[in-house]
Amino acid sequence: MSGSNKPSSGQKGGLEPPGPGENPHTDLSRVYSKDLLPTAGGESLTCKFFQELVNILMDYIFKSNERSSKILDFHHPHQLKEGLEGFSLDLPDHPEPLEQILVDCRDTLKYGVKTGHPRFFNQLSSGLDLVGLAGQWLTSTANTNMFTYEVSPVFLLMEEVLLKKMQSIVGWCEEEGDGIFCPGGAVSNLYSLLVARYDFYPEVKTKGMCALPRLALFTSEHVSSRLPIHHAAPLPLGWVLCCFRGKMISRELDSSIVEAKAKGLVPFYVNATAGTTVYGAFDPLTAIADVCDRHKLWLHVDAAWGGGLLMSRRHQGKLQGIERASSVTWNPHKLMGAPLQCSAILIKKRGLLQECNQLCAEYLFQSDKHYDISYDTGDKTIQCGRHVDVFKLWLMWKAKGSEGFGSQVNKCLENAEYLFKQLQRRADFKLVFESKPEHSNVCFWYLPPSLRGLPPGPDTNRRLHEVAPQIKAKMMEEGTTLIGYQPLGSNVNFFRCVFSNPATQHEDVDFLLEEIARLGSNL
């Protein structure tokens, strides 16, 4: 990288003292935040401060795309809390100069994790889309709120356009569909639960849960933590059995519903998953929709992880039946690569969001405004105020087109298939599933030499269970790549590699396997 793109290197934060003829007031070691705009005459200082900040950010972006750079410079919590190389988390009583503020920005990035690195495989959200990043910067600069048209006119119209586009891709007709963007998949799923309950029993809004029968809802035993039932829904929950591959069994769902009715419960809601977090499995949506139709239940599809496949003509068939859902969660910040956060809840029946959540606060939602107040969407939400999450996705869609998103999704699934084929060829790895991955999740064990050839049994499983955590610990210490692991059901700890960064190449997949083998060879 050229020197002009790097922060200038000084002992205390990378900024050189003012040169001959330079205004001493732009020496950032001598000035403070109070000297920036809107202070009179603060234009040159503000420009200088942001130029240096952009240098730091660009340096980070470039390093995030250099395969030779570390993904993280790992330190234990107590080390970061105690302070490292002048980096301190303590908050001062007196202001520190802008030079130190830039040092803190640089060090914050230094000790963080480069999730945009092409060898970061740890979570479902990775990569760093630069157009999306530009949108994020613009949004932060605008610093407005998504509750009324009067303070957010363009962004609210963009949200309407995006929601209609996503609803049409799901397969709903033009007369159907409503929705909003939410902080994440868990909140999106919570909206679906609240709206479904209101649709069946609108009196819940005025009389509370005591006026309702004892409701029951159903979900897969492989459900994601995104489903807020675990935290926010005091309702009987039916865990529906899955096949070995992690898909809900529709006949088990039907049996669970019949059994619940026999116990005096009132089933009303089924959560199906399109792309489970660990296995990347897709529940049989058409068969589940048939069950829901038969029992007149609300079908919600959590497609937070799998929704991106709708952008790919080659893979969208895995979500066949999603058009029959009453609501859908879709997170563009996952497979589509939008910067965090970017999640939408789509509701098929128009008007329900407003009816369920509106409180008609007169200080925001006056009825006598001079514009179309249907665009004051804050009363559709339980949040009221919302961050602007739509612009970065709108800007990315303009830059890529639907076809570009499709190609990006295909690349991630191709990487998963490449990893699957590489694992099939190696004796030092074992796949959790011998069948091809449905999504970009690939699950596998590493078998160190000490475990190869051992007969299956409790002792072998106990020893194998300890392998992944030990390799992960070494991996974090060295910082060359990152991948997650977990147990699930009868399967002891295994690695779960997920692909959502289109910058990842086959060489990065090969590097991951060689690094796991290197770090685990002596276990």
Side-chain angles (χ1 to χ4, degrees):
M1 185 177 66
S2 65
S4 62
N5 288 325
K6 291 184 179 180
S8 47
S9 58
Q11 186 174 356
K12 285 195 65 179
L15 299 177
E16 299 175 355
E22 185 178 348
N23 186 344
H25 295 295
T26 60
D27 174 7
L28 299 182
S29 66
R30 305 179 193 179
V31 291
Y32 298 83
S33 63
K34 65 180 179 60
D35 301 308
L36 298 171
L37 287 173
T39 299
E43 291 86 353
S44 62
L45 178 59
T46 301
C47 185
K48 170 79 169 178
F49 175 70
F50 276 104
Q51 284 173 343
E52 294 294 344
L53 178 61
V54 168
N55 288 341
I56 291 171
L57 297 177
M58 293 306 299
D59 186 46
Y60 179 81
I61 290 170
F62 294 150
K63 286 181 178 176
S64 292
N65 286 279
E66 292 174 359
R67 286 170 171 79
S68 59
S69 68
K70 282 189 171 186
I71 289 178
L72 78 158
D73 183 5
F74 178 77
H75 293 84
H76 290 280
H78 74 274
Q79 294 173 310
L80 286 175
K81 290 171 71 174
E82 291 166 2
L84 291 167
E85 301 173 339
F87 179 59
S88 174
L89 294 171
D90 294 336
L91 297 173
D93 292 326
H94 302 290
E96 295 182 345
L98 293 179
E99 181 183 63
Q100 181 59 46
I101 301 307
L102 290 170
V103 172
D104 292 337
C105 289
R106 183 198 63 200
D107 288 345
T108 298
L109 292 174
K110 175 183 177 182
Y111 297 119
V113 179
K114 297 185 181 74
T115 59
H117 197 288
R119 291 175 179 172
F120 177 86
F121 306 99
N122 208 66
Q123 261 85 36
L124 304 184
S125 308
S126 68
L128 184 60
D129 188 277
L130 297 186
V131 173
L133 178 61
Q136 191 98 301
W137 288 351
L138 186 145
T139 296
S140 295
T141 302
N143 194 32
T144 192
N145 203 317
M146 290 282 286
F147 44 38
T148 62
Y149 182 82
E150 66 187 271
V151 299
S152 190
V154 181
F155 294 137
L156 280 169
L157 294 178
M158 287 176 176
E159 181 175 51
E160 180 185 53
V161 168
L162 279 168
L163 290 170
K164 285 183 177 179
K165 185 73 169 179
M166 295 169 77
Q167 290 156 10
S168 69
I169 292 171
V170 165
W172 296 343
C173 69
E174 200 166 314
E175 292 72 32
E176 297 173 321
D178 199 353
I180 50 170
F181 279 74
C182 307
V187 176
S188 295
N189 290 341
L190 176 60
Y191 272 111
S192 76
L193 197 57
L194 296 176
V195 171
R197 185 181 62 183
Y198 176 84
D199 190 38
F200 281 97
Y201 299 98
E203 61 268 29
V204 69
K205 192 171 178 179
T206 54
K207 298 180 180 179
M209 289 290 291
C210 294
L212 274 57
R214 197 166 181 225
L215 303 178
L217 47 89
F218 303 85
T219 190
S220 154
E221 61 181 349
H222 284 230
V223 68
S224 164
S225 61
R226 291 187 301 269
L227 194 65
I229 290 166
H230 307 292
H231 312 293
L235 300 170
L237 173 62
W239 298 104
V240 181
L241 291 176
C242 295
C243 69
F244 78 100
R245 192 60 181 81
K247 301 169 182 285
M248 185 192 293
I249 302 172
S250 59
R251 66 175 178 276
E252 293 288 345
L253 171 63
D254 191 77
S255 298
S256 297
I257 293 169
V258 170
E259 184 179 343
K261 288 179 176 178
K263 293 179 179 178
L265 299 175
V266 179
F268 80 108
Y269 177 99
V270 172
N271 176 77
T273 308
T276 58
T277 301
V278 179
Y279 288 161
F282 288 80
D283 287 342
L285 301 182
T286 298
I288 292 171
D290 289 342
V291 174
C292 290
D293 287 349
R294 186 157 54 250
H295 293 280
K296 296 181 171 54
L297 307 185
W298 182 285
L299 171 59
H300 174 67
V301 177
D302 179 355
W305 176 218
L309 265 65
L310 289 167
M311 304 303 300
S312 168
R313 294 179 183 177
R314 192 187 311 171
H315 298 286
Q316 62 187 192
K318 294 171 184 175
L319 290 102
Q320 186 174 359
I322 194 172
E323 71 281 355
R324 296 173 63 184
S326 301
S327 56
V328 175
T329 290
W330 182 352
N331 285 8
H333 69 229
K334 287 188 164 66
L335 194 59
M336 292 172 69
L340 287 163
Q341 61 191 26
C342 193
S343 173
I345 175 65
L346 309 177
I347 306 291
K348 194 170 191 176
K349 186 176 178 181
R350 284 187 184 173
L352 277 180
L353 268 173
Q354 185 90 9
E355 294 170 18
C356 177
N357 297 314
Q358 68 179 351
L359 294 174
C360 302
E362 291 184 350
Y363 68 94
L364 277 177
F365 308 117
Q366 303 90 347
S367 60
D368 53 358
K369 292 181 179 181
H370 74 290
Y371 59 81
D372 183 352
I373 60 173
S374 68
Y375 289 99
D376 286 357
T377 58
D379 227 8
K380 286 184 178 182
T381 75
I382 57 176
Q383 306 160 249
C384 184
R386 287 185 296 135
H387 185 261
V388 178
D389 295 325
V390 298
F391 179 69
K392 55 200 168 192
L393 179 60
W394 180 86
L395 203 63
M396 289 172 65
W397 216 307
K398 294 278 281 189
K400 298 172 188 287
S402 302
E403 291 182 357
F405 274 125
S407 298
Q408 183 174 306
V409 167
N410 291 341
K411 176 70 180 300
C412 293
L413 270 70
E414 287 162 8
N415 278 333
E417 189 167 337
Y418 176 79
L419 172 58
F420 172 77
K421 290 178 180 177
Q422 295 303 105
L423 290 167
Q424 282 183 314
R425 298 187 180 106
R426 297 187 58 147
D428 51 347
F429 289 90
K430 178 178 173 56
L431 286 156
V432 173
F433 301 112
E434 295 299 329
S435 56
K436 288 174 61 174
E438 290 194 354
H439 203 350
S440 69
N441 309 45
V442 184
C443 302
F444 59 92
W445 292 281
Y446 170 71
L447 305 175
S450 62
L451 294 183
R452 292 172 209 165
L454 291 182
D459 183 61
T460 301
N461 283 341
R462 178 187 58 79
R463 294 171 62 183
L464 182 60
H465 186 68
E466 298 170 354
V467 170
Q470 294 182 64
I471 292 176
K472 178 67 175 283
K474 293 181 180 181
M475 194 177 280
M476 292 182 69
E477 294 284 351
E478 298 207 12
T480 54
T481 188
L482 216 56
I483 184 175
Y485 72 85
Q486 68 284 305
L488 186 59
S490 61
N491 288 325
V492 299
N493 278 328
F494 54 86
F495 289 112
R496 176 193 56 150
C497 186
V498 288
F499 295 92
S500 57
N501 185 353
T504 298
Q505 305 294 332
H506 290 176
E507 65 177 282
D508 302 308
V509 177
D510 295 336
F511 179 88
L512 172 68
L513 296 183
E514 292 303 324
E515 193 71 349
I516 291 174
R518 180 181 72 84
L519 296 173
S521 60
N522 294 324
L523 297 179

